[in-house]
């Protein structure tokens, strides 16, 4: 045979294969389900219930991945829904499944040749179960691993329960689904994976404009629970909720099936999503931007600008010279906040108009000159550097790997920062003691205690050389566990105490900081607050 003929046959064979793969794109109806074939080279075929929108089967490359006792769905399942399906021809071919209830419309979209589900959820009311989430319940023998969290949220084979029904002991270590969290601003992709040919199933969310919580919010992402490996996209939840839920369109977010490693949200293109007809979709032409320069951020800290109103939220990091550009935003008037890392240092407002770029600078004034006598920690909105701050995101405070919580004594000028606790628990390590020397007696001074999160009404009260400072009023209540779930960000209350003249003396001084609360609790569920920084200044 001529070499040219061999080449032609090879090309024809390849074209035939590609053609047959894409020819499979489409949907059928079978057994009360819509069966959708993405027509991808690595075949993705899934079945959606025509009565309630549950995904009852997911086959990738011929392997069934769906857990059979519970399904993949919004919340814990919609119960019932009006489910329809259509094929749409635009810049590509699409199949759209639409699931409608009285307060929710959920979309599952596939694009011809793409092993991904493009998902979006439009709501007019928060679901009755109290949280808006997408949960894929998959087979743990096929997808046992969790990326990027490893074993911290793998709760299979647990031997005891530490707290509630969501913190367990496995192989002597505390584990929980709550320990699989990443700040919104840092989210890329989170995945479950496994199989002889190493399949990854990953969630990516290009933007969280309709979620609540801001750039530093974090929630459950994955959990190998033994019976099933669960992959989540939390949109609204009561887990350390700091602002009202937002309605409207959540998404698109993507569940991608891959054999070529871990995908990145930076490579996701959803510009075509407006072609499929989704309620609440606002195209780029209907949006605007904000640009400007942020100033006043402490050297060495990251600048973050945050915009929010009742309908949407956005954020952007600043460059090294403070310049920033917002994402494309829905029109409206926004509160505009500047953080140094996560500590708020400025607030203003800005109005965004469709098709326009608004120029507006923002300047922080917190880091003005003052006579600081000493400072413990940095004003970064986090418990950075304090004892156990390097561990609590991924384990329970009772874990044997934690350093002793105390009560601790910190000596200004000689103690390492790890001798100061990240949190004070009323029945564990209350109070924390600070010792320091002064060359001479001082006049009036101010002690500032910046916190990140309060649980059960806890707030700090000080004692200075036997003088008791006033008891602060209770902070705004957040009805959720914090430290024990790996959470630290709440309302970020800052408490200042005016210390009268004569209370600080020449020589040795002692300040204690105690947790006070009208509530009670045991061990790590006793009232507690998390430190950001403590500063004595004049």
């Amino acid at each position: 045979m001529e070499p040219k003929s061999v080449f032609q046959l090879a090309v024809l064979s390849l074209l035939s294969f590609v053609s047959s793969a894409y020819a499979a794109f489409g949907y059928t109806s079978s057994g009360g389900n819509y069966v959708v074939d993405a027509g991808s080279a690595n075949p993705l075929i899934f079945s959606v219930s025509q009565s309630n929108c549950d995904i009852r089967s997911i086959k990738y490359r011929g392997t069934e991945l769906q857990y059979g006792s519970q399904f993949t769905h919004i919340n814990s399942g919609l119960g019932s829904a009006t489910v329809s399906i259509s094929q749409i021809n635009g810049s590509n071919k699409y199949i759209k499944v639409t699931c409608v209830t009285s307060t929710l419309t959920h979309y599952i979209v596939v694009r011809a040749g793409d092993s991904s589900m493009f998902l979006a959820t439009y709501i007019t009311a928060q679901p009755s179960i109290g949280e808006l989430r997408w949960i894929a319940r998959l087979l743990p023998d096929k997808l046992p691993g969790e990326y990027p969290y490893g074993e911290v949220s793998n709760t299979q084979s647990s031997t005891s329960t530490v707290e509630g029904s969501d913190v367990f002991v496995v192989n002597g270590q505390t584990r929980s689904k709550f320990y699989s969290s990443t700040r919104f601003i840092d989210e890329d992709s989170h995945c479950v994976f496994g199989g002889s040919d190493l399949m990854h199933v990953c969630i990516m969310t290009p933007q969280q404009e309709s979620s609540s919580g801001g750039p530093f919010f974090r929630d459950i992402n994955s959990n190998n629970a033994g019976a099933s490996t669960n992959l989540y996209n939390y949109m609204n939840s009561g887990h350390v909720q700091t602002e009202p839920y937002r309605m409207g369109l959540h998404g698109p977010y993507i569940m991608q099936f891959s054999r070529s490693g871990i995908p990145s949200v930076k490579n996701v293109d959803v510009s075509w999503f407006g072609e499929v007809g989704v309620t609440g979709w606002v195209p780029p032409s209907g949006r605007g931007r904000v640009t400007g320069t942020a100033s006043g951020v402490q050297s060495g800290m990251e600048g973050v600008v945050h915009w929010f109103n009742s309908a949407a939220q956005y954020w952007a990091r600043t460059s090294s010279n403070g310049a920033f550009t917002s994402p494309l935003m829905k029109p409206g008037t926004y509160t505009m906040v500047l953080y140094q890392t996560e500590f708020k240092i400025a607030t203003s407002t800005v109005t965004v108009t469709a098709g326009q770029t608004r120029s507006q600078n923002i300047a922080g004034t917190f880091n003005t000159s003052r006579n600081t006598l000493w400072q413990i920690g940095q004003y970064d909105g986090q418990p950075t550097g304090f004892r156990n701050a390097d561990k609590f995101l991924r384990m329970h405070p009772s874990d044997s790997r934690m350093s002793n919580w105390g009560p601790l004594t910190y000596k200004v000028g000689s103690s390492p920062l790890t001798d100061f606790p990240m949190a004070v628990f009323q029945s564990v390590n209350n109070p924390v003691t600070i010792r320091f020397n002064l060359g001479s007696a001082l006049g009036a001074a101010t002690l500032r205690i910046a916190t990140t999160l309060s649980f059960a009404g806890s707030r700090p009260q000080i004692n200075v050389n036997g003088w008791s400072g006033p008891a602060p009023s209770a902070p705004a209540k957040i009805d959720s566990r914090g430290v024990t779930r790996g959470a630290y960000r709440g309302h970020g209350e800052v408490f200042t105490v005016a210390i009268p003249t004569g209370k600080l003396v020449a020589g040795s001084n002692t300040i204690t900081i105690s947790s006070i609360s009208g509530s009670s609790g045991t061990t790590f569920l006793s009232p507690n607050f998390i430190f950001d920084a403590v500063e004595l200044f004049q």
Side-chain angles (χ1 to χ4, degrees), residues 77-414:
L78 298 178
S80 63
T82 301
V83 183
S84 60
I85 193 167
S86 60
Q87 180 169 325
I88 300 164
N89 295 323
S91 59
N92 202 330
K93 293 181 179 180
Y94 311 102
I95 294 171
K96 179 178 70 173
V97 178
T98 305
C99 309
V100 180
T101 73
S102 60
T103 60
L104 178 150
T105 303
H106 181 63
Y107 301 95
I108 306 169
V109 179
V110 294
R111 181 171 55 175
D114 191 336
S115 299
S116 302
M117 299 181 194
F118 294 85
L119 307 157
T121 311
Y122 178 84
I123 61 170
T124 58
Q126 184 70 1
S128 59
I129 66 166
E131 55 190 23
L132 179 65
R133 68 180 183 183
W134 169 258
I135 176 170
R137 305 180 194 272
L138 306 171
L139 289 171
D141 61 326
K142 302 295 191 301
L143 300 164
E146 300 177 54
Y147 172 85
Y149 308 107
E151 297 296 317
V152 298
S153 48
N154 185 328
T155 57
Q156 67 172 330
S157 304
S158 63
T159 54
S160 61
T161 301
V162 176
E163 182 179 300
S165 58
D166 48 34
V167 184
F168 305 96
V169 174
V170 180
N171 297 329
Q173 298 180 353
T174 55
R175 297 184 185 175
S176 175
K177 59 187 178 182
F178 285 99
Y179 303 150
S180 68
S181 67
T182 298
R183 303 187 308 170
F184 275 171
I185 195 171
D186 298 324
E187 273 276 11
D188 189 354
S189 61
H190 56 273
C191 314
V192 296
F193 63 91
S196 58
D197 57 356
L198 196 57
M199 295 180 286
H200 285 82
V201 183
C202 302
I203 293 286
M204 295 175 285
T205 305
Q207 47 81 9
Q208 294 98 346
E209 68 180 1
S210 297
S211 294
S212 61
F216 314 121
F217 184 76
R218 56 201 308 144
D219 215 327
I220 303 163
N221 278 339
S222 62
N223 172 220
N224 183 335
S228 62
T229 299
N230 303 321
L231 184 63
Y232 301 86
N233 179 42
Y234 265 87
M235 292 164 274
N236 280 338
S237 86
H239 303 151
V240 197
Q241 182 187 354
T242 57
E243 62 177 344
Y245 298 130
R246 292 185 174 88
M247 303 298 105
L249 183 67
H250 295 257
Y253 49 102
I254 300 97
M255 188 161 79
Q256 181 170 319
F257 299 75
S258 171
R259 284 187 66 241
S260 55
I262 299 163
S264 174
V265 72
K266 298 173 184 177
N267 299 323
V268 170
D269 175 22
V270 292
S271 60
W272 53 267
F273 205 69
E275 297 179 30
V276 299
V278 170
T279 301
W281 174 258
V282 179
S285 61
R287 297 170 177 263
R289 289 190 190 275
V290 181
T291 63
T293 301
S295 58
V297 175
Q298 183 176 321
S299 177
M301 292 197 186
E302 179 179 63
V304 175
V305 185
H306 174 205
W307 299 267
F308 64 93
N309 59 24
S310 62
Q313 60 174 5
Y314 306 92
W315 44 80
R317 288 181 164 96
T318 64
S319 68
S320 58
N321 65 0
F324 62 85
T325 299
S326 76
L328 285 170
M329 300 164 62
K330 296 177 184 177
T333 298
Y334 291 83
T335 298
M336 181 175 173
V337 176
L338 174 62
Y339 303 94
Q340 56 182 31
T341 306
E342 294 188 23
F343 185 76
K344 184 193 300 185
I345 60 171
T347 303
S348 65
T349 59
V350 63
T351 298
V352 174
T353 303
Q356 297 184 18
T357 296
R358 173 72 181 269
S359 178
Q360 183 161 320
N361 299 332
I362 187 167
T365 58
F366 178 79
N367 298 302
T368 54
S369 177
R370 54 187 177 269
N371 179 24
T372 297
L373 302 173
W374 49 256
Q375 182 176 315
I376 305 170
Q378 297 293 325
Y379 292 103
D380 61 0
Q382 303 172 344
T384 308
F386 296 142
R387 179 167 295 190
N388 293 321
D390 59 333
K391 304 179 184 73
F392 81 101
L393 288 174
R394 308 301 179 203
M395 65 185 76
H396 192 271
S398 67
D399 196 290
S400 61
R401 294 168 291 173
M402 288 280 184
S403 299
N404 189 296
W405 284 97
L408 298 177
T409 297
Y410 181 89
K411 297 178 181 178
V412 173
S414 61

Side-chain angles (χ1 to χ4, degrees), residues 407 423-431 455-459 514-529:
V424 173
F425 301 88
Q426 203 154 303
S427 67
V428 175
N429 62 340
N430 197 30
F455 174 71
S458 177
R459 62 273 196 193
S514 301
S515 164
I516 63 171
S517 172
S519 301
S520 61
T522 59
T523 60
F524 297 104
L525 288 179
S526 63
N528 62 79
F529 63 85

